[in-house]
Amino acid sequence: KAGVTQTPRYLIKTRGQQVTLSCSPISGHRSVSWYQQTPGQGLQFLFEYFSETQRNKGNFPGRFSGRQFSNSRSEMNVSTLELGDSALYLCASSRGQPNTGELFFGEGSRLTVL
Amino acid sequence: GQQLNQSPQSMFIQEGEDVSMNCTSSSIFNTWLWYKQDPGEGPVLLIALYKAGELTSNGRLTAQFGITRKDSFLNISASIPSDVGIYFCAGRLIQGAQKLVFGQGTRLTINP
C-alpha cells in the first residue's frame, strides 16, 4: 500500500510570493490533515479535511488555506509569504471515520522563504 | 489554546539504558498517541491509547494512558541505536473539535 505522498519535497520562495503544496493520501483514507513544523513551535495544526469539507481549523492567518478534492487528494496554499513561513509542512491521512486520531504522515514539503 | 507539556526536551543516554518520557496537560483527552520522527521523515505512529488507565506495549515500547485522562508516558527498554529520533506525544481532546494536539517532542540521543 503506497504511503502518503507530498510534493514538492523542497522549494524556495521569496517574500510576497505564494505557494501551493500537494498531498496524496493513502488509498481509502478520506481525511487529510496539515501541520506546520518548525524547531521553535513544534507541530502546529493547520486544518483537517474530510470528504471535501474542512472539519477543523488551527490558529493560522487567512493567508493559509486548503482544499480537498473528490479523490481525497488535498492542497494547501500560502499567499503573501513571510520569512516566518519557512517550515516543514506535513500532511497526514487517516480513514476519518471513526476519528481515532491515528495519522499517517508524509515526508513533508520543506519550504524556505528568502 | 490547548497545550501538551512534554518532558524531557532532550535525553542523552548510553545504549542499553531504559528511557522514560511523559506528557501532561490541564485538558482532558480521550485519546493519547505516541509518534517517532526520524531525520528527513514524517512522524510514524508507535502506540495509540484509547482508555484511561490503558497500558499498551509495542515491542520494547510501553505507553500508558493516565487515569486522570490528562497525562501519558512512554517507556523504551534496553535502548538501541535505531531508537534515536524525536518522540512526540499527541492527544485528542474530549470536547470541542477533537483536533489532535502535539507535544513539543523529546529528542533522544544514544551513545554507543
Side-chain angles (χ1 to χ4, degrees):
Chain A
K1 203 176 197 181
V4 176
T5 304
Q6 291 187 245
T7 57
R9 289 291 312 278
Y10 303 91
L11 64 166
I12 299 174
K13 294 284 188 178
T14 57
R15 280 180 297 176
Q17 287 187 310
Q18 66 94 27
V19 66
T20 299
L21 309 177
S22 179
C23 173
S24 293
I26 292 172
S27 178
H29 285 189
R30 295 165 61 191
S31 174
V32 172
S33 300
W34 288 89
Y35 287 83
Q36 181 195 65
Q37 185 175 27
T38 58
Q41 297 297 319
L43 280 154
Q44 299 292 310
F45 173 74
L46 282 156
F47 20 67
E48 179 194 4
Y49 288 88
F50 176 76
S51 292
E52 301 179 69
T53 302
Q54 188 179 86
R55 188 156 68 175
N56 277 314
K57 188 177 188 303
N59 298 321
F60 279 81
R63 300 184 297 107
F64 292 80
S65 62
R67 59 178 176 169
Q68 186 181 33
F69 302 96
S70 58
N71 62 359
S72 294
R73 192 176 68 84
S74 176
E75 288 181 348
M76 68 162 283
N77 184 277
V78 187
S79 62
T80 318
L81 284 166
E82 301 176 359
L83 295 179
D85 296 334
S86 294
L88 180 67
Y89 291 87
L90 290 162
C91 167
S93 76
S94 67
R95 290 183 181 84
Q97 291 287 10
N99 188 354
T100 63
E102 295 183 19
L103 302 179
F104 296 82
F105 285 87
E107 293 179 314
S109 293
R110 184 165 295 281
L111 170 65
T112 301
V113 181
L114 302 176
Chain B
Q2 295 81 18
Q3 278 191 310
L4 291 182
N5 300 308
Q6 185 171 352
S7 65
Q9 288 187 337
S10 60
M11 302 183 73
F12 298 85
I13 64 169
Q14 298 292 324
E15 184 177 351
E17 288 185 13
D18 295 343
V19 172
S20 184
M21 59 190 79
N22 68 85
C23 271
T24 62
S25 176
S26 57
S27 300
I28 296 175
F29 293 88
N30 64 6
T31 304
W32 281 96
L33 308 105
W34 286 90
Y35 288 83
K36 181 194 177 202
Q37 186 175 26
D38 292 328
E41 306 284 332
V44 173
L45 180 64
L46 298 173
I47 292 179
L49 304 155
Y50 299 105
K51 290 172 58 175
E54 180 181 356
L55 185 71
T56 298
S57 293
N58 178 7
R60 294 177 296 104
L61 277 61
T62 302
Q64 184 160 29
F65 191 145
I67 198 73
T68 65
R69 294 180 175 269
K70 295 181 179 181
D71 60 351
S72 177
F73 73 74
L74 174 71
N75 286 341
I76 305 173
S77 63
S79 59
I80 59 177
S82 61
D83 291 334
V84 165
I86 304 177
Y87 292 80
F88 291 97
C89 63
R92 195 163 68 94
L93 291 161
I94 203 165
Q95 292 179 335
Q98 297 195 355
K99 63 185 180 186
L100 207 58
V101 180
F102 280 81
Q104 293 293 313
T106 295
R107 182 180 296 274
L108 179 62
T109 303
I110 298 177
N111 299 316

